[in-house]
C-alpha cells in the first residue's frame, strides 16, 4: 500500500545500499519504525497482473501468524531510555563546553593573574 518500511538488520538485504522498489516479505516488526524480515526483492513486471487481487488477500490469514504489536509499556520504556540518553548527551555536551571555556586563552591568563595575586599577598 505504499508504506515506507526498513529492512531489518538481520536481513541479508540490510547491507545492500540500493533502494528496492518492490519486495515480498514474510515478517514485519513494528517499533518506532516498521522493519521487515525474510525479504525477497521482486520486479514490478512479475506482479503487475496480480496487483488488483492483492488487495483482496487477508495477509494475516495467509501467513497464519499475528502481527507483532508494540505495547504501550514497551513504548514508554523506549521513551524513558531515549530521555535518559538525551540527558546523558546534554550532560556530556555541557561538560565539554565548560572544559573548553576553562581552557581558552583568556581563562588561562585570568587564572595566572589570580595565582600571582595570591602569591604576592602571601609574601
Amino acid at each position: 500500500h505504499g508504506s515506507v518500511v526498513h529492512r531489518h538488520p538481520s536481513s541479508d538485504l540490510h547491507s545492500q545500499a540500493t533502494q528496492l522498489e518492490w519486495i515480498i516479505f514474510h515478517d514485519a516488526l513494528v517499533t518506532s519504525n516498521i522493519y521487515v524480515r525474510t525479504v525477497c526483492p521482486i520486479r514490478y513486471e512479475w506482479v503487475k497482473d496480480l496487483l488488483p487481487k492483492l488487495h483482496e488477500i487477508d495477509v494475516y490469514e495467509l501467513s497464519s501468524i499475528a502481527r507483532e504489536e508494540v505495547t504501550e509499556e514497551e513504548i514508554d520504556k523506549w521513551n524513558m531510555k531515549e530521555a535518559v540518553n538525551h540527558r546523558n548527551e546534554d550532560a556530556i555536551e555541557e561538560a565539554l563546553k565548560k572544559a573548553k571555556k576553562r581552557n581558552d586563552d583568556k581563562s588561562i591568563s585570568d587564572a595566572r593573574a589570580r595565582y600571582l595575586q595570591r602569591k604576592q599577598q602571601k609574601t
Side-chain angles (χ1 to χ4, degrees):
H1 294 277
S3 298
V4 175
V5 297
H6 304 276
R7 289 169 272 179
H8 193 271
S10 67
S11 170
D12 289 338
L13 298 176
H14 177 71
S15 61
Q16 292 184 2
T18 60
Q19 184 175 356
L20 304 173
E21 274 192 62
W22 290 83
I23 60 170
I24 292 179
F25 62 92
H26 177 68
D27 192 17
L29 176 64
V30 180
T31 62
S32 56
N33 292 315
I34 301 173
Y35 291 99
V36 292
R37 298 183 283 208
T38 317
V39 178
C40 179
I42 62 171
R43 293 192 180 123
Y44 173 75
E45 299 81 42
W46 298 350
V47 294
K48 67 180 177 184
D49 295 336
L50 300 172
L51 289 178
K53 294 183 182 227
L54 287 178
H55 295 287
E56 300 169 9
I57 296 174
D58 181 355
V59 292
Y60 298 114
E61 185 179 320
L62 182 65
S63 68
S64 73
I65 59 170
R67 184 173 140 221
E68 295 178 41
E69 295 279 344
V70 178
T71 64
E72 287 296 320
E73 180 182 330
E74 291 171 315
I75 291 172
D76 291 343
K77 191 185 294 183
W78 183 84
N79 286 334
M80 289 293 289
K81 188 188 296 185
E82 286 297 306
V84 168
N85 287 342
H86 187 66
R87 281 194 298 263
N88 288 344
E89 289 170 0
D90 288 349
I92 291 169
E93 188 176 323
E94 188 64 32
L96 289 173
K97 283 180 183 177
K98 285 181 181 178
K100 187 176 182 181
K101 184 178 179 182
R102 199 176 326 132
N103 294 323
D104 68 3
D105 291 339
K106 183 175 180 343
S107 295
I108 292 171
S109 64
D110 289 348
R112 178 179 283 147
R114 287 191 306 271
Y115 168 76
L116 292 173
Q117 185 179 21
R118 283 193 309 269
K119 189 174 180 180
Q120 280 183 344
Q121 289 174 352
K122 287 183 180 180
T123 56

